[in-house]
Amino acid sequence: MTTSRFSIAELLVEHDRAVAYTDELWADLTQDEVHWRPSPNSSAIGWHLGHQAAVSHYMVRNLTAAEPPIDDALDRLMDSATPEPDRGDLPDLARLRGYRNTAAERLHLRIGNIASGDVGAPQQLEFIAVGLLLAVTNHEYQHSQWIGEVRSRDLGHPLPSRPTSDLLTEIDGYLVVGA
């Protein structure tokens, strides 16, 4: 009974599109490229990849269902509260990919429970789920913009085509859902 112009199902599709686009931006990069930092006060692509997943995980566990950490060390490292100079001890690509996949799986599980009404206060949580999905998806696109800029400008790799969707618009050069 949401009054949002977006359904949970539509937003889950858009979230998956955003994650898939981010994955296209780094799938062909080497570990050295994913770990490379433009400066000590800048974050590597790998940190942004983990941060996207961490924010998704934090929002799911704090807004919809108390969940255990995915990976205590990565949860701390990928938190934006970690000062940029301390963001250099990045995991290997398999661990990073696993972290991202687990965050996406947990989001789908919890939002799926909400969509099916298998939660307490299902109507109230539907509103939370829509807002959460908008925030997490737009955050994914926000960081994919930076990843793409570093991929292209600094590492010399071509960019894949940007995703298209009836839900997407561009604001200040960033893809966003809504508005």
Side-chain angles (χ1 to χ4, degrees):
M1 167 179 152
T2 184
T3 60
S4 171
R5 68 181 208 148
F6 304 112
S7 72
I8 287 176
E10 289 174 307
L11 292 173
L12 280 171
V13 168
E14 195 59 53
H15 173 265
D16 291 348
R17 185 184 339 273
V19 170
Y21 177 63
T22 300
D23 288 344
E24 281 185 78
L25 290 168
W26 75 287
D28 63 339
L29 300 180
T30 67
Q31 182 161 303
D32 286 343
E33 289 172 318
V34 170
H35 287 189
W36 178 78
R37 298 171 71 173
S39 76
N41 288 317
S42 182
S43 303
I45 286 173
W47 182 85
H48 287 270
L49 294 167
H51 175 69
Q52 289 165 313
V55 167
S56 174
H57 173 59
Y58 301 155
M59 290 189 69
V60 167
R61 79 175 186 202
N62 288 313
L63 297 177
T64 67
E67 290 203 351
I70 294 174
D71 179 318
D72 283 325
L74 291 184
D75 285 350
R76 280 188 305 280
L77 175 64
M78 303 306 180
D79 190 329
S80 59
T82 302
E84 284 178 321
D86 298 334
R87 296 178 183 174
D89 235 359
L90 297 172
D92 65 39
L93 300 185
R95 185 173 170 202
L96 186 56
R97 188 171 287 109
Y99 186 73
R100 285 179 57 80
N101 289 344
T102 300
E105 289 165 5
R106 287 188 181 182
L107 178 135
H108 270 271
L109 174 68
R110 295 301 175 210
I111 299 300
N113 289 346
I114 292 167
S116 69
D118 190 22
V119 293
Q123 291 179 349
Q124 184 269 346
L125 277 174
E126 186 176 343
F127 280 92
I128 298 297
V130 167
L132 184 155
L133 285 166
L134 283 167
V136 169
T137 301
N138 285 333
H139 182 257
E140 185 78 20
Y141 280 128
Q142 175 189 6
H143 284 270
S144 70
Q145 178 70 24
W146 187 91
I147 292 167
E149 289 169 2
V150 170
R151 172 192 172 86
S152 174
R153 180 192 63 226
D154 298 318
L155 300 176
H157 292 282
L159 291 172
S161 298
R162 290 177 79 165
T164 58
S165 160
D166 290 341
L167 302 185
L168 286 174
T169 189
E170 187 176 310
I171 298 175
D172 295 332
Y174 292 85
L175 291 175
V176 295
V177 178

